[in-house]
Amino acid sequence: MQLPAQAAKEDPQVPQTLDAAAVRTWCSLALDALGRDREEIDAINVYPVADGDTGTNLYLTVESAARAVEAVFDAHATGTSVPDLPDTVRAMAHGALIGARGNSGTILAQLLRGMAEVLGEDRADRGDGADGAARGGGDHLARALHRAAQLAREAVAHPVEGTILTVASAAADAAARTRPTADGATGDGDGAAYGDGAAVHAAYAGARVALAATPGQLAVLGRAGVVDAGGRGLLAVLAALVEAVTGDAPSPVAPGARPHELPAVVESCDVDDSPAGPAFEVIYLLETDEPGIARLRRRLDALGDSLVVVGGDGLWNVHVHVDDAGAAVEAGVEAGRPYRIRITHFGAAAGHQRERAQRAVVAVVPGEGLAGLCAEAGATTVLARPGEPPASGELVDAIRRAHAHEVVLLPNDAELRHTAAAAAEQARAEGIRVALIPTRAAVQGIAALAVHEPGRRFDEDVVAMTSAAGATRYAELAVAERQSWTMAGICQAGDLLGLIDGDVAVIGTELAATAETVLDRMLSAGGELVTLVLGQDVPDTLAERLERYVRDGHLAVDTVVYRGGHQSAPLLIGVE
C-alpha cells in the first residue's frame, strides 16, 4: 500500500488543497513513517503503562484506516469517476475506528473522526468547486484540526497534559493562528498564499514544539528523559500530511534526542502519574446508542483508568485499563453488543519500562466469559465470534501483544489449525519462539492453561499443556439448521445435536436430557473432572441439574461450571 507523494504545486502562490487523492497518499505515507519509527516509539513508551507497544498500536490503527481508503478507491477502479473527499475521509475515520489499538491508537481514531466531520461536510454547505476541494482552503483544514482535538479530549475520561492530546491541541491552535484576518494578513505572512499547505506546515511546527515540551508537563516523562510516545506518533502522522499536501517532507526527528532538542518518546493516556496500575487492558467494539455509552462510561470509570471511548452513530471503540477484565466486558454486554474483544495482561512491569516476558499464552476463545477467565489466568485472548473465526493476522497481533520471548498458542478450534500454523510461522520469523498446541475446543484450552507453569522449561511446559489438552474429551450441544444425515441418524431442523470429539453422537429435543445422554457416553470411558461452559441464554438451573446428575451417577467425578457469554453453542462439555 505504498503510494507516491503528491507533487508540490509549481506555483507557490496557489493554495494547496487536501483532496481525496491527497488523503490516500497521506495514509500511505503515515503508514510508512510509523513503520520506520515503530520500534523507536515502542522503546520509550513509559506512560501510563510501560508496555512498549504505542508505535505498534498506532501503526495497526493507521493500517486499518489505509485499507478502508483503498477499498473506496477500488470501488471506483472500474469507472471513470474517483472518490470525493467526504467519502474518502469518512472511510479513513471508520477504518481507524474499527482497527484502533491501544490508548494512543484509539485517540488517533477519534482525531481522524473529528477531521472527517469537518472535511466531510456537504460541498454545497461550504462552497466547494466541482473537484471537491474546499474554497475555504487552509481555514477549512484548520477547523478540521480544531474539531479533531476537541473530540479527542471529550473521548478521554480524565485528560492529562503532556500527552497526545496536548500535541493535537497545539497543532490545531497553530493552524488557526495561520488563518487570514479580515484584512487578508496571516500570522505567517501573505494571506493570498494561505491554503491547506500553509495550514499543515503550521500545524506540524506547532505540534513539534508542543512535543518537545511534554517532558516538562508530565513528571514520568521528565524522569525518563523522553517525550510522549503518542504525541511522537502523531507528529509522524502530521509530517506525512505535510508531504501529502505539499510534496515537502519535514526533516525527520532524531531518535533519542533530548528534551531541549526533540526527545524520543512515551505513551499517552489519562491516568494518574503512578508507578503501579491495573493488570489488564480491555478493548472492544460496541454497538449501542448514546444513552448506553453514557452508562458505560460511568461504569468503566469506576472500574479502572485510561478510559477512552471513541466513535458515534451507533458504533464505538472502547478502551480501558482494569483489574477485573470480566467486569469490563460485562459492562459492555449490558450496554449493547460488544465484539472484537481483546484482553491483554500487562504482567509485572518493573520500573518505567516493561521487560519482555519470558513466556506467555495466547488463547482463542468463543465467548466473552471465557475471555475474562483466560485473561485472569494470564493469557492474551482473541475472541472468535460465531461464524467469524479470527484471521492469521489477528493471531499474530495477539502474539505480539503478549510481548514475550516464548509463546504457547491455543487455537481451541479444529478449523483454525492452518490459520494458527500460519500465524505461528510468521511470529517465528520475527524472532519469537512459538509452540502451537493443536487444541480443538475451548475446554481443551482451559485444561492446558490450568497446568501452565511459566517457571519451568519451555519444552516441559508445552509437553504438560499438550498432555492435559489431549487427555480432555470435548463435546458441544448445537442446534441443527436443517434436515440431514448424521452418524447418529437423521436429524430435523431445530433438533439438538450432541457432538462428541467433533462427531454427532446424540440427537435430542430437550437441552438437559440431551446433555445428560452426552455425559453418560463421555463418562462411560472414565473421567475425574467435568467442565461445563454455559452460553449466554442458558439458565443456571441447567448447570445445577447437570452437576447433580454427575454427582449421583459418578461419585468420584468433580464438576466445574463457567459462563461463556455469547458463543455459538449453548453448552460446551469437557471430561478429563
Side-chain angles (χ1 to χ4, degrees), residues 18 26 108 110-119 137-153 164-179 194-207 234 237-238 241-242:
L18 181 67
W26 177 23
L108 177 61
Q110 190 74 340
L111 289 168
L112 295 179
R113 178 180 176 84
M115 292 189 70
E117 278 192 13
V118 176
L119 297 175
D139 178 70
H140 193 231
L141 186 52
R143 288 193 296 111
L145 291 168
H146 172 76
R147 181 57 176 161
Q150 178 187 38
L151 276 190
R153 284 186 177 271
I164 186 174
L165 298 175
T166 305
V167 176
S169 295
D173 291 344
R177 287 194 299 270
T178 314
R179 285 186 291 190
Y194 180 71
D196 286 347
V200 295
H201 272 298
Y204 175 79
L234 178 58
V237 173
L238 290 173
L241 179 59
V242 172

Side-chain angles (χ1 to χ4, degrees), residues 266-575:
V266 82
E267 167 74 289
S268 111
C269 196
D270 58 46
V271 299
D272 295 333
D273 179 16
S274 58
F280 301 100
E281 178 185 58
V282 179
I283 305 173
Y284 49 80
L285 291 178
L286 180 68
E287 293 179 355
T288 189
D289 53 16
E290 292 280 355
I293 280 296
R295 292 192 298 271
L296 180 69
R297 287 181 188 273
R298 291 192 294 270
R299 176 84 180 275
L300 294 182
D301 197 22
L303 284 175
D305 56 36
S306 293
L307 174 60
V308 184
V309 181
V310 304
D313 302 321
L315 180 62
W316 309 81
N317 191 305
V318 180
H319 169 282
V320 68
H321 293 174
V322 292
D323 282 319
D324 190 342
V329 175
E330 181 183 345
V333 173
E334 293 175 356
R337 188 176 78 90
Y339 60 100
R340 292 197 185 179
I341 299 171
R342 297 188 297 276
I343 301 175
T344 303
H345 187 269
F346 287 128
H352 295 294
Q353 190 69 32
R354 176 190 173 197
E355 295 293 335
R356 184 178 289 273
Q358 182 60 32
R359 189 174 310 155
V361 177
V362 172
V364 180
V365 291
E368 303 91 342
L370 290 184
L373 174 70
C374 293
E376 289 173 5
T380 297
T381 61
V382 179
L383 186 67
R385 295 178 62 204
E388 296 183 22
S392 61
E394 292 180 72
L395 299 185
V396 173
D397 180 23
I399 292 171
R400 292 170 181 149
R401 285 189 288 116
H403 203 64
H405 295 289
E406 301 167 340
V407 172
V408 179
L409 178 59
L410 305 174
N412 297 335
D413 187 337
E415 295 184 0
L416 285 178
R417 61 188 185 277
H418 297 307
T419 300
E425 191 62 31
Q426 182 175 343
R428 291 181 189 123
E430 297 177 8
I432 303 172
R433 188 180 184 188
V434 181
L436 171 60
I437 297 179
T439 48
R440 294 173 290 174
V443 289
Q444 289 188 323
I446 293 172
L449 193 56
V451 301
H452 167 56
E453 291 186 14
R456 62 186 166 197
R457 290 179 52 220
F458 185 61
D459 292 339
E460 293 176 353
D461 198 30
V462 171
V463 169
M465 294 176 72
T466 302
S467 297
T472 303
R473 299 188 69 196
Y474 63 94
E476 68 175 85
L477 269 66
V479 179
E481 296 180 356
R482 64 184 69 86
Q483 183 188 62
S484 61
W485 289 88
T486 74
M487 294 183 64
I490 300 176
C491 70
Q492 305 297 324
D495 282 349
L496 282 167
L497 306 179
L499 292 87
I500 300 176
D501 294 337
D503 295 322
V504 177
V506 178
I507 299 174
T509 57
E510 196 267 326
L511 185 60
T514 306
E516 289 172 351
T517 304
V518 169
L519 283 169
D520 279 340
R521 297 207 179 183
M522 297 180 76
L523 289 170
S524 64
E528 299 176 354
L529 177 67
V530 170
T531 299
L532 304 175
V533 182
L534 277 62
Q536 178 71 24
D537 300 323
V538 177
D540 291 333
T541 52
L542 175 67
E544 295 167 358
R545 173 174 168 172
L546 295 180
E547 284 185 280
R548 286 195 303 270
Y549 187 81
V550 171
R551 185 171 58 248
D552 293 344
H554 307 274
L555 296 178
V557 179
D558 294 325
T559 303
V560 294
V561 180
Y562 301 114
R563 275 286 176 187
H566 292 285
Q567 57 188 39
S568 58
L571 180 65
L572 305 177
I573 301 174
V575 174

Side-chain angles (χ1 to χ4, degrees), residues 47 160-168 214 217-218 228 231 268-269:
Y47 178 81
V160 168
E161 295 306 326
T163 65
I164 186 174
L165 298 175
T166 305
V167 176
T214 56
Q217 295 174 294
L218 202 52
D228 177 66
S268 111
C269 196

